[in-house]
Amino acid sequence: MSSLEQMYQQVIMDHAKQAHGKGLVDLNLIQVGESHQVNTTCGDEIRLRVGLEDDRVESVTWEGQGCSISQASVSVLHELVEGTTLSEAEATMEAFRDLMQAKGEALDDDREDLLGDATAFVGVGKYPARIKCAMLGWMAFKDAMIQARKDEA
Ligand code: ZN
């Protein structure tokens, strides 16, 4: 294993152990959405709540259980998108999906900058079965955003 791979592994283990944004928070906002996603092949489960305000992702919290990859990925997601604008969050989601489809290859610098710690998941792209684990929280986030915005015209 290369030192880069070891560093990536460490990032994932750290987030799995010390999860960020864990614990659903009650939100006194108008635009709130929630999504529950299950990955039956691995047994991962994530319930994620999003609160939007003024074109910004005000809050992202979640509850879940499952493998290190699924839990670390949603922890990183929380770090990356909470406090960003909706368009920044969309771009980050797209970059993460690109990373998962890159079959273990690095992305360009622009998208890597956007992904920060999430770049550590690059190796997951080589294992189709684990992509589902890594994507679970992001699917929950995408769906929760749709729920939060469904009253918009
Ligand atoms: Zn899993």
Side-chain angles (χ1 to χ4, degrees), residues 95-103 121-122 124-125 131 134-135:
F96 192 76
R97 205 181 45 224
D98 291 347
L99 186 75
M100 289 299 101
Q101 289 169 353
K103 298 184 167 68
F121 292 85
V122 62
V124 174
I131 293 175
M135 285 300 295

Side-chain angles (χ1 to χ4, degrees), residues 77-94:
L77 164 82
H78 162 88
E79 291 281 279
L80 287 175
V81 299
E82 194 176 74
T84 66
T85 65
L86 295 185
S87 55
E88 282 165 347
E90 300 270 356
T92 305
M93 265 195 287
E94 245 171 68

Side-chain angles (χ1 to χ4, degrees), residues 35-108:
S35 176
H36 180 226
Q37 300 284 330
V38 179
N39 175 16
T40 50
T41 53
C42 184
D44 311 318
E45 200 174 330
I46 288 169
R47 182 181 298 279
L48 184 142
R49 186 177 294 161
V50 158
L52 309 176
E53 193 166 41
D54 299 335
D55 203 37
R56 211 157 42 93
V57 181
E58 186 69 25
S59 172
V60 179
T61 56
W62 57 278
E63 265 306 333
Q65 55 191 19
C67 68
S68 300
I69 290 177
S70 68
Q71 304 300 297
S73 184
V74 67
S75 170
V76 170
L77 164 82
H78 162 88
E79 291 281 279
L80 287 175
V81 299
E82 194 176 74
T84 66
T85 65
L86 295 185
S87 55
E88 282 165 347
E90 300 270 356
T92 305
M93 265 195 287
E94 245 171 68
F96 192 76
R97 205 181 45 224
D98 291 347
L99 186 75
M100 289 299 101
Q101 289 169 353
K103 298 184 167 68
E105 299 293 324
L107 297 178
D108 54 78

